[in-house]
Amino acid sequence: MSTADSTEPFEGDDRQYTPTRLPGWLQEVNGPNRIQPPQFTRTQLADLSPRDLLVHNDNREVWHANIGPIDTPQLLALHDALAEIVESNRQDGDKTKPAALVDAYPGLGKSTAVRDYGRKLFRKQVALRGETTPSGDRRVPVIYIALSGNTQIRGLNAAICRFYGLPTSGNADTLAERAVDAVLSMKTAAIIIDDIHFLAGANSNSVRMANQSRSVHRRR
């Protein structure tokens, strides 16, 4: 089984991106499935050349670090519940649309589970409606943003603009207009907001924040 060591560089299958930017989200949505490395016996491993053993171990490290998500009964139940909300979310633009809040203890995979649903919804919409809108824009049915501590209204709007690759200069209203234009032109049907508890909600700001979220949501 031993082969001669190769001098060609080996990049591996690491995929470094951020899903909070459109190029990274597209890579997560459309990236090919990883192929599980072959399982070797001790004898077969001993027969590998040093170089081939390094490559094999590198592939195993990436594979094990990226297993899942696994279709557990809990994950499938969550996806069914999200689908029920999203699929009934077909009101015209002048009406308020429902939203879902996923809450659980840290470390249980909330973000992973919801992003997995978002990927499937994205692919479903593109398969149904095509990769481009009637106006010729890229179709982006689902977007994903993540918030950090004490995010204000402007920060929420900036996160949406940053995802689409739009400028993040200007006040909250200016950013909101940019975000709405992108949502409408790219036919975004769902917005996943990770760590939404970081939205600043002190006193009257909580009402303003709720109205702001409804505004972007309704106008899509």
Side-chain angles (χ1 to χ4, degrees), residues 76-100:
L76 295 176
L78 173 61
H79 284 191
D80 286 343
L82 292 174
E84 183 176 355
I85 294 172
V86 172
E87 290 170 6
S88 64
N89 195 359
R90 305 296 293 272
Q91 295 86 352
D92 293 336
D94 62 325
K95 301 179 178 66
T96 300
K97 298 174 184 288

mmCIF file of all heavy atoms in Angstrom, residues 76-100:
data_model
loop_
_atom_site.group_PDB
_atom_site.id
_atom_site.type_symbol
_atom_site.label_atom_id
_atom_site.label_comp_id
_atom_site.label_asym_id
_atom_site.label_seq_id
_atom_site.Cartn_x
_atom_site.Cartn_y
_atom_site.Cartn_z
ATOM 1 N N LEU A 76 -35.251 17.068 13.751
ATOM 2 C CA LEU A 76 -36.318 16.942 12.758
ATOM 3 C C LEU A 76 -37.598 17.612 13.242
ATOM 4 O O LEU A 76 -38.314 18.246 12.449
ATOM 5 C CB LEU A 76 -36.572 15.469 12.454
ATOM 6 C CG LEU A 76 -35.409 14.721 11.784
ATOM 7 C CD1 LEU A 76 -35.745 13.242 11.627
ATOM 8 C CD2 LEU A 76 -35.071 15.339 10.438
ATOM 9 N N ALA A 77 -37.875 17.507 14.549
ATOM 10 C CA ALA A 77 -39.066 18.164 15.096
ATOM 11 C C ALA A 77 -38.933 19.682 15.002
ATOM 12 O O ALA A 77 -39.905 20.385 14.685
ATOM 13 C CB ALA A 77 -39.279 17.730 16.540
ATOM 14 N N LEU A 78 -37.724 20.202 15.269
ATOM 15 C CA LEU A 78 -37.495 21.636 15.150
ATOM 16 C C LEU A 78 -37.669 22.088 13.711
ATOM 17 O O LEU A 78 -38.321 23.111 13.443
ATOM 18 C CB LEU A 78 -36.092 21.984 15.640
ATOM 19 C CG LEU A 78 -35.642 23.432 15.419
ATOM 20 C CD1 LEU A 78 -36.562 24.407 16.146
ATOM 21 C CD2 LEU A 78 -34.197 23.630 15.853
ATOM 22 N N HIS A 79 -37.111 21.351 12.778
ATOM 23 C CA HIS A 79 -37.252 21.706 11.367
ATOM 24 C C HIS A 79 -38.714 21.697 10.933
ATOM 25 O O HIS A 79 -39.153 22.569 10.166
ATOM 26 C CB HIS A 79 -36.430 20.753 10.499
ATOM 27 C CG HIS A 79 -34.965 21.037 10.532
ATOM 28 N ND1 HIS A 79 -34.062 20.448 9.669
ATOM 29 C CD2 HIS A 79 -34.229 21.860 11.316
ATOM 30 C CE1 HIS A 79 -32.851 20.888 9.939
ATOM 31 N NE2 HIS A 79 -32.925 21.739 10.939
ATOM 32 N N ASP A 80 -39.485 20.726 11.410
ATOM 33 C CA ASP A 80 -40.907 20.679 11.066
ATOM 34 C C ASP A 80 -41.634 21.905 11.621
ATOM 35 O O ASP A 80 -42.492 22.492 10.949
ATOM 36 C CB ASP A 80 -41.543 19.404 11.629
ATOM 37 C CG ASP A 80 -41.148 18.155 10.856
ATOM 38 O OD1 ASP A 80 -40.655 18.290 9.723
ATOM 39 O OD2 ASP A 80 -41.327 17.046 11.394
ATOM 40 N N ALA A 81 -41.291 22.297 12.851
ATOM 41 C CA ALA A 81 -41.935 23.456 13.453
ATOM 42 C C ALA A 81 -41.567 24.743 12.708
ATOM 43 O O ALA A 81 -42.426 25.597 12.464
ATOM 44 C CB ALA A 81 -41.540 23.572 14.927
ATOM 45 N N LEU A 82 -40.304 24.876 12.327
ATOM 46 C CA LEU A 82 -39.886 26.057 11.569
ATOM 47 C C LEU A 82 -40.560 26.085 10.202
ATOM 48 O O LEU A 82 -40.995 27.147 9.734
ATOM 49 C CB LEU A 82 -38.363 26.058 11.404
ATOM 50 C CG LEU A 82 -37.547 26.281 12.679
ATOM 51 C CD1 LEU A 82 -36.062 26.107 12.398
ATOM 52 C CD2 LEU A 82 -37.816 27.654 13.272
ATOM 53 N N ALA A 83 -40.651 24.923 9.560
ATOM 54 C CA ALA A 83 -41.281 24.858 8.238
ATOM 55 C C ALA A 83 -42.747 25.251 8.311
ATOM 56 O O ALA A 83 -43.264 25.931 7.403
ATOM 57 C CB ALA A 83 -41.134 23.449 7.659
ATOM 58 N N GLU A 84 -43.422 24.868 9.390
ATOM 59 C CA GLU A 84 -44.835 25.219 9.531
ATOM 60 C C GLU A 84 -45.013 26.727 9.590
ATOM 61 O O GLU A 84 -45.952 27.283 9.004
ATOM 62 C CB GLU A 84 -45.413 24.571 10.792
ATOM 63 C CG GLU A 84 -46.894 24.827 10.986
ATOM 64 C CD GLU A 84 -47.464 24.095 12.188
ATOM 65 O OE1 GLU A 84 -46.723 23.308 12.812
ATOM 66 O OE2 GLU A 84 -48.651 24.320 12.503
ATOM 67 N N ILE A 85 -44.090 27.403 10.280
ATOM 68 C CA ILE A 85 -44.170 28.861 10.378
ATOM 69 C C ILE A 85 -43.807 29.521 9.058
ATOM 70 O O ILE A 85 -44.521 30.394 8.554
ATOM 71 C CB ILE A 85 -43.254 29.365 11.502
ATOM 72 C CG1 ILE A 85 -43.762 28.877 12.851
ATOM 73 C CG2 ILE A 85 -43.148 30.890 11.493
ATOM 74 C CD1 ILE A 85 -42.822 29.159 14.001
ATOM 75 N N VAL A 86 -42.697 29.096 8.466
ATOM 76 C CA VAL A 86 -42.210 29.725 7.235
ATOM 77 C C VAL A 86 -43.166 29.482 6.072
ATOM 78 O O VAL A 86 -43.455 30.390 5.285
ATOM 79 C CB VAL A 86 -40.792 29.213 6.896
ATOM 80 C CG1 VAL A 86 -40.362 29.708 5.518
ATOM 81 C CG2 VAL A 86 -39.797 29.671 7.955
ATOM 82 N N GLU A 87 -43.662 28.272 5.957
ATOM 83 C CA GLU A 87 -44.524 27.943 4.812
ATOM 84 C C GLU A 87 -45.889 28.613 4.886
ATOM 85 O O GLU A 87 -46.579 28.741 3.866
ATOM 86 C CB GLU A 87 -44.672 26.426 4.709
ATOM 87 C CG GLU A 87 -43.377 25.738 4.276
ATOM 88 C CD GLU A 87 -43.440 24.224 4.410
ATOM 89 O OE1 GLU A 87 -44.536 23.704 4.726
ATOM 90 O OE2 GLU A 87 -42.399 23.565 4.203
ATOM 91 N N SER A 88 -46.282 29.034 6.086
ATOM 92 C CA SER A 88 -47.537 29.785 6.219
ATOM 93 C C SER A 88 -47.300 31.287 6.216
ATOM 94 O O SER A 88 -48.240 32.072 6.357
ATOM 95 C CB SER A 88 -48.248 29.380 7.520
ATOM 96 O OG SER A 88 -47.468 29.735 8.652
ATOM 97 N N ASN A 89 -46.036 31.663 6.029
ATOM 98 C CA ASN A 89 -45.632 33.064 6.115
ATOM 99 C C ASN A 89 -45.704 33.713 4.731
ATOM 100 O O ASN A 89 -44.714 34.198 4.203
ATOM 101 C CB ASN A 89 -44.199 33.124 6.660
ATOM 102 C CG ASN A 89 -43.815 34.514 7.115
ATOM 103 O OD1 ASN A 89 -44.600 35.447 7.018
ATOM 104 N ND2 ASN A 89 -42.598 34.637 7.603
ATOM 105 N N ARG A 90 -46.900 33.692 4.154
ATOM 106 C CA ARG A 90 -47.062 34.159 2.771
ATOM 107 C C ARG A 90 -47.958 35.395 2.691
ATOM 108 O O ARG A 90 -48.528 35.668 1.633
ATOM 109 C CB ARG A 90 -47.650 33.027 1.919
ATOM 110 C CG ARG A 90 -46.858 31.717 1.960
ATOM 111 C CD ARG A 90 -45.476 31.860 1.373
ATOM 112 N NE ARG A 90 -45.526 32.106 -0.047
ATOM 113 C CZ ARG A 90 -45.549 31.119 -0.966
ATOM 114 N NH1 ARG A 90 -45.531 29.852 -0.582
ATOM 115 N NH2 ARG A 90 -45.573 31.397 -2.254
ATOM 116 N N GLN A 91 -48.054 36.129 3.784
ATOM 117 C CA GLN A 91 -48.888 37.327 3.790
ATOM 118 C C GLN A 91 -48.299 38.384 2.853
ATOM 119 O O GLN A 91 -47.095 38.424 2.623
ATOM 120 C CB GLN A 91 -48.995 37.900 5.208
ATOM 121 C CG GLN A 91 -49.718 37.001 6.191
ATOM 122 C CD GLN A 91 -48.811 35.990 6.844
ATOM 123 O OE1 GLN A 91 -47.653 35.840 6.465
ATOM 124 N NE2 GLN A 91 -49.334 35.276 7.828
ATOM 125 N N ASP A 92 -49.169 39.249 2.343
ATOM 126 C CA ASP A 92 -48.714 40.357 1.514
ATOM 127 C C ASP A 92 -47.840 41.298 2.329
ATOM 128 O O ASP A 92 -47.798 41.245 3.562
ATOM 129 C CB ASP A 92 -49.911 41.124 0.941
ATOM 130 C CG ASP A 92 -50.700 40.282 -0.061
ATOM 131 O OD1 ASP A 92 -50.117 39.345 -0.634
ATOM 132 O OD2 ASP A 92 -51.906 40.568 -0.244
ATOM 133 N N GLY A 93 -47.160 42.207 1.625
ATOM 134 C CA GLY A 93 -46.176 43.069 2.268
ATOM 135 C C GLY A 93 -46.728 44.056 3.277
ATOM 136 O O GLY A 93 -45.975 44.597 4.083
ATOM 137 N N ASP A 94 -48.048 44.302 3.258
ATOM 138 C CA ASP A 94 -48.609 45.260 4.207
ATOM 139 C C ASP A 94 -48.994 44.607 5.530
ATOM 140 O O ASP A 94 -49.494 45.280 6.436
ATOM 141 C CB ASP A 94 -49.846 45.936 3.595
ATOM 142 C CG ASP A 94 -50.961 44.943 3.292
ATOM 143 O OD1 ASP A 94 -50.630 43.792 2.906
ATOM 144 O OD2 ASP A 94 -52.135 45.299 3.440
ATOM 145 N N LYS A 95 -48.758 43.309 5.657
ATOM 146 C CA LYS A 95 -49.160 42.587 6.861
ATOM 147 C C LYS A 95 -47.930 42.124 7.639
ATOM 148 O O LYS A 95 -46.876 41.868 7.077
ATOM 149 C CB LYS A 95 -50.030 41.390 6.500
ATOM 150 C CG LYS A 95 -51.308 41.749 5.748
ATOM 151 C CD LYS A 95 -52.099 40.500 5.406
ATOM 152 C CE LYS A 95 -53.404 40.865 4.709
ATOM 153 N NZ LYS A 95 -53.184 41.482 3.380
ATOM 154 N N THR A 96 -48.102 42.029 8.959
ATOM 155 C CA THR A 96 -47.024 41.536 9.810
ATOM 156 C C THR A 96 -46.882 40.028 9.650
ATOM 157 O O THR A 96 -47.874 39.300 9.642
ATOM 158 C CB THR A 96 -47.313 41.863 11.287
ATOM 159 O OG1 THR A 96 -47.416 43.284 11.424
ATOM 160 C CG2 THR A 96 -46.190 41.344 12.180
ATOM 161 N N LYS A 97 -45.651 39.574 9.544
ATOM 162 C CA LYS A 97 -45.384 38.152 9.354
ATOM 163 C C LYS A 97 -44.912 37.540 10.674
ATOM 164 O O LYS A 97 -44.239 38.186 11.459
ATOM 165 C CB LYS A 97 -44.327 37.956 8.272
ATOM 166 C CG LYS A 97 -44.749 38.467 6.893
ATOM 167 C CD LYS A 97 -43.601 38.366 5.907
ATOM 168 C CE LYS A 97 -44.000 38.961 4.561
ATOM 169 N NZ LYS A 97 -44.956 38.112 3.844
ATOM 170 N N PRO A 98 -45.276 36.289 10.929
ATOM 171 C CA PRO A 98 -44.853 35.651 12.179
ATOM 172 C C PRO A 98 -43.359 35.338 12.183
ATOM 173 O O PRO A 98 -42.707 35.304 11.148
ATOM 174 C CB PRO A 98 -45.680 34.361 12.211
ATOM 175 C CG PRO A 98 -45.948 34.058 10.767
ATOM 176 C CD PRO A 98 -46.098 35.399 10.099
ATOM 177 N N ALA A 99 -42.840 35.114 13.375
ATOM 178 C CA ALA A 99 -41.428 34.764 13.525
ATOM 179 C C ALA A 99 -41.319 33.633 14.540
ATOM 180 O O ALA A 99 -42.264 33.335 15.271
ATOM 181 C CB ALA A 99 -40.627 35.975 13.986
ATOM 182 N N ALA A 100 -40.164 32.999 14.572
ATOM 183 C CA ALA A 100 -39.914 31.909 15.518
ATOM 184 C C ALA A 100 -38.723 32.264 16.385
ATOM 185 O O ALA A 100 -37.759 32.864 15.913
ATOM 186 C CB ALA A 100 -39.648 30.609 14.757
#
